[in-house]
Every structure is written in structure tokens, then in C-alpha cells.
Amino acid sequence: MKNKLILFWVIMAITIASVITIYLKPTSLGLDLVGGSRLMLEAQTSETVKTITPEIMDSLQYAIENRVNAMGVGETIVQKVGTKRLLVEIPNITDTAKAKEFIGQTAELEFKRPIKKMDGSTEWQSTGLTGKDLKKALVGSTPSTGEWMVQLEFNLEGAKKFSDLTKELTGKQMAIFFNGELQSAPNVNEQISGGHAQITGDYEYAEAKKMVDLLNAGALPVGAEIIQEETVGPTLGADSINKSKTAGLIGISAVMIFMILYYRVAGLISCFALIIYACLNFAIFKLVPVTLTLTGIAGFILSIGMAIDANILIFERTKEELKMGRSLFTAINSGFDRAFTSIFDSNVSTIMTCLILYYFGASIVKGFALTLIIGVCLSMFSAITVTKNFMHLVFGSKELKYPELFGLKKEDIQNAYVATETKREKAKFGVLD
């Protein structure tokens, strides 16, 4: 009983932390609820790229998605339209100029060597070391002055190129260009190994952060011209959110009333477990964070139904054990143990389907899949751990004097074999099948 009390207070602590998280952290809403920006991009041919192929469009779509994600927004839609266009929808960003500036930049990083011309002037020549050789970029600051800078870490191939380049240019300058503009041209004093470099300059933090985000997102494989832009108002908005809340409350209330009427005390326990489940689930949505659209809300409500479904399987199995005459404690444990296989199999199959939807579905489908995955995983915790703990604390190892508490009649209970045991919870086993 001591362990059960400890577990109970752990569950209560987690629930309180979840409620605080829900209260303090804002909810991230999708384009259909809060509006945003919609841009149409068209891939451009160049001297090096004469034809826009499906492979190039796939690379462009991937690069644009990385850039939009770097803006810190969720539930974005980047999808192909025709053979050389991309539709980009960004929730909660109504400043299309900001989106255009970030998405359309090329993010080309180049390291160049100095070449003396005949007239004595210096020309910068490409070395072949570019942003494609980067592993990642970070914002840093110089210890002495506190000025912001961009720290670069190269991949294995890039680290070798950089080491060879610094060896070649020892005693000379090495220029760093970003989007065709000279950022810095430091003197190389010695060969630098280890694959790390810095871009210094008179940067503001926002400027350095923007450069880092663009570098980490990768350069665009081809130019992309924005041919259409518009600010989108919320298509569903506050009215739909309120209607969704009302529908959800009605649905959950109906489920709770059914559980209490049909399973009596056990049903009441499952209602408390369901409230805890909803708090944990919504708190995780805010911590991840999950951007909620109507499809995401649908996944959340569906997972609530699946959480109750697990409790129904457990309670029905427990009632069968009680009908065979087993003691209350044994029947509860057996009900949970024997229902676990069915619960586990059904939830795993649902999770596998959701993973397929998440990895291969469109962005709006991914929101539904993600919320349902989180909900299904938590529903198993709610049914197997929370409900079981509450059942043990409420009923303990007492005899079932009132079968009506489980929605049974006294004549439903059969006689069972009684074993001589010191513990009351093991005193009545019934017939094992």
C-alpha cells in the first residue's frame, strides 16, 4: 500500500505540473485558426540549370521547408504546384516582406583566395570551399569585446579542405563571402585543423542569427522568384475554436456519464483518470510545441476516445473475473493483466499507421498524426498506471460486498475455490483458464 500511495502522489505532482504548464505557456495555432502569409514561388532556370526537373523541385521544397522551420513557426505547408511552383503557407506571420526576405535569399557561403592582377589590384578567386561543406553554424561572441560572430563547423570533407586551404594561404588573406558580399578577409597565420572557422564583423545579434539560420537551412538549389503573395485571414478563427471546445466538452461529458452509469464506481475512477490524461496530453502539446489546427484537435479528441476504450476493455475483463468468484484484488489485477495484450496490440497498430501518415502525409495530415501518436501513448499510461493505481487505493484488498459498485448483481457472482492463504487478497482464486 505504501508504494501505491507514493505512485499516487507522483501522479498528482505530474498533474499539477501539467496544469501549471497549460496555464503559463501559450498555445500555438495553425494557419486555419490564426491566419498568416501565403506565397507562390516559381523555380528559375540559370546558366548551370537549364531545365527544372522533379529532383530539383524536391531539393527546393526541402530547402524552403528548412528555412520556414528556422523562422520558428509550425504547421507550415510547402507543397508543389505544377512542375516548377511551390505554395508556401506560414501561420501567424502576416508580414509578407519578412517571409519573402528570409525565404528568397540564396544563402551562398564561399571561401576565396586573393589573386594579384596585372594592374596590381587584388581579385578574389573561388577555392571550392562553400556552404555545402558545412556541418552546422552557431551564433557566438568574442570573449574580449562581446561582439557577435558566426561560428562554423565543417563536415569531414570540409574540414580537410579548410585545413589544406589555410596551409596554402599561410601569411596571406582568406576572404569569406556570403550571398556574394565580402564579410571578412582575415590574415591566415598558420594552418588551422579541426574543422572550425569564424565569421566576424560588426553584427547585431539578429543579423548573425539570421545568417546562421540561412546557413543551417542550406542554399537553394536554384533561384526561386515569388510571383504571388497575400496575407491570409483565419478561415475558421475564434468562432470555430469555441465551437470545437463546445463539441469536445459535450462529447467528453457524454462519455463520462456513460462510464459512470454503466461501470458505477469504476467508471467514476476512469473519469478522474481521463481528466488527468487530458491535462498531461495538452501540456505536452504546449511543451513540444504542437501547432494545433482543427485536424490536430480532431486527433486529440480521438485519442480521448481511445483512452476510454482501454478502460472499457479492463473493466469488462475485471467483471468477468468477479463473475467467476475471484476476490476483488485478484479480479482487478487479472483484469488489467489480461486486457493489456489487446490494449497494447490495438495501440501499436494505431501508432504505426500514424507514423506512416506523419512521414508520407501532407503537412496538415502530419498535425493529426502527431497529436494522435502522443495521445495514444499517454492513453496507455493513463489506463494501465493511473486507473489501476486509483482502483487499488479505492478498493484495496476488500471483499466485494456490493457487486452493484461494478454494475453487477449478486446472482451474477459464482462460487470459487477458496485457498488457505495468509493474505486476504490471495484467498480466493477461482478457476484459472
Side-chain angles (χ1 to χ4, degrees):
M1 182 59 70
K2 181 180 178 180
N3 292 336
K4 296 178 180 61
L5 285 173
I6 292 174
L7 178 59
F8 170 79
W9 288 115
V10 169
I11 293 171
M12 290 297 101
I14 295 174
T15 304
I16 293 171
S18 299
V19 172
I20 293 173
T21 300
I22 293 170
Y23 179 76
L24 295 179
K25 290 189 70 68
T27 304
S28 178
L29 301 175
L31 186 73
D32 57 351
L33 298 178
V34 295
S37 299
R38 177 181 290 134
L39 305 172
M40 183 69 74
L41 281 66
E42 185 173 79
Q44 305 295 307
T45 56
S46 63
E47 294 182 359
T48 56
V49 181
K50 302 295 184 181
T51 306
I52 304 299
T53 64
E55 291 75 19
I56 290 177
M57 288 302 298
D58 288 340
S59 299
L60 180 62
Q61 182 180 10
Y62 178 75
I64 294 296
E65 283 180 341
N66 285 341
R67 292 191 175 194
V68 174
N69 291 335
M71 294 176 69
V73 296
E75 199 65 30
T76 58
I77 294 177
V78 181
Q79 61 185 21
K80 285 181 281 190
V81 179
T83 58
K84 59 177 184 178
R85 291 184 178 182
L86 287 178
L87 175 65
V88 182
E89 293 185 347
I90 311 171
N92 219 21
I93 299 291
T94 55
D95 186 0
T96 56
K98 176 182 176 182
K100 286 167 56 180
E101 180 186 5
F102 194 82
I103 292 174
Q105 289 195 18
T106 54
E108 292 179 350
L109 177 70
E110 285 188 286
F111 289 77
K112 297 185 177 183
R113 60 168 64 86
I115 299 294
K116 289 291 183 180
K117 299 174 67 175
M118 295 296 293
D119 59 2
S121 61
T122 301
E123 184 181 47
W124 298 108
Q125 182 186 60
S126 179
T127 61
L129 181 62
T130 67
K132 294 181 180 179
D133 299 303
L134 277 183
K135 181 179 180 181
K136 64 179 178 180
L138 299 169
V139 177
S141 61
T142 56
S144 56
T145 63
E147 294 180 344
W148 296 108
M149 64 180 178
V150 176
Q151 297 176 332
L152 306 176
E153 182 180 347
F154 297 100
N155 55 29
L156 291 176
E157 184 179 354
K160 185 178 186 307
K161 286 183 181 179
F162 185 68
S163 178
D164 294 341
L165 182 60
T166 53
K167 180 180 180 181
E168 173 195 338
L169 297 178
T170 299
K172 301 179 182 178
Q173 283 184 302
M174 179 179 62
I176 304 173
F177 283 77
F178 182 73
N179 286 343
E181 295 183 3
L182 178 65
Q183 301 296 315
S184 61
N187 287 314
V188 180
N189 298 321
E190 59 183 355
Q191 181 180 6
I192 303 174
S193 58
H196 293 272
Q198 298 173 351
I199 304 177
T200 57
D202 188 16
Y203 297 126
E204 297 290 337
Y205 174 80
E207 188 179 1
K209 178 67 165 59
K210 180 180 176 182
M211 189 184 299
V212 165
D213 289 339
L214 286 170
L215 288 172
N216 286 330
L220 301 181
V222 292
E225 181 182 349
I226 298 174
I227 61 174
Q228 183 182 342
E229 59 180 278
E230 60 180 324
T231 300
V232 182
T235 57
L236 299 168
D239 183 57
S240 294
I241 294 176
N242 292 331
K243 287 181 178 179
S244 299
K245 288 179 180 178
T246 302
L249 288 174
I250 292 173
I252 293 173
S253 299
V255 168
M256 288 183 173
I257 292 171
F258 166 78
M259 294 296 291
I260 293 172
L261 292 178
Y262 195 81
Y263 294 106
R264 309 299 170 82
V265 176
L268 183 62
I269 291 173
S270 71
C271 292
F272 283 112
L274 189 62
I275 293 172
I276 291 174
Y277 159 81
C279 291
L280 294 178
N281 204 351
F282 199 49
I284 289 177
F285 286 173
K286 292 201 171 190
L287 289 174
V288 169
V290 173
T291 302
L292 283 180
T293 61
L294 273 193
T295 57
I297 295 173
F300 173 59
I301 295 175
L302 181 59
S303 67
I304 291 177
M306 298 190 68
I308 281 294
D309 178 63
N311 281 281
I312 289 174
L313 289 173
I314 292 167
F315 294 159
E316 285 297 326
R317 187 64 204 188
T318 301
K319 287 171 68 175
E320 291 178 5
E321 300 295 321
L322 290 172
K323 287 179 180 179
M324 290 193 298
R326 294 194 179 181
S327 66
L328 184 55
F329 187 90
T330 306
I332 291 173
N333 282 342
S334 182
F336 277 88
D337 293 342
R338 299 194 178 195
F340 175 79
T341 304
S342 300
I343 296 170
F344 182 80
D345 290 347
S346 63
N347 286 341
V348 167
S349 63
T350 302
I351 291 172
M352 291 174 64
T353 304
C354 289
L355 288 174
I356 294 172
L357 289 174
Y358 186 82
Y359 282 106
F360 297 103
S363 179
I364 196 167
V365 177
K366 288 183 178 181
F368 170 81
L370 180 60
T371 54
L372 187 54
I373 288 173
I374 295 173
V376 168
C377 293
L378 278 177
S379 71
M380 291 188 64
F381 168 77
S382 172
I384 303 301
T385 304
V386 178
T387 304
K388 187 175 183 179
N389 178 258
F390 287 4
M391 292 278 282
H392 280 158
L393 289 176
V394 171
F395 294 107
S397 58
K398 302 174 183 177
E399 294 294 329
L400 183 60
K401 295 182 179 179
Y402 304 100
E404 295 81 5
L405 295 178
F406 276 86
L408 296 172
K409 298 178 181 178
K410 289 185 177 181
E411 53 267 26
D412 294 333
I413 307 298
Q414 301 177 7
N415 292 325
Y417 169 73
V418 179
T420 304
E421 294 284 346
T422 55
K423 293 185 178 181
R424 293 180 60 192
E425 59 265 25
K426 294 184 179 180
K428 192 180 289 186
F429 288 95
V431 180
L432 296 177
D433 52 8

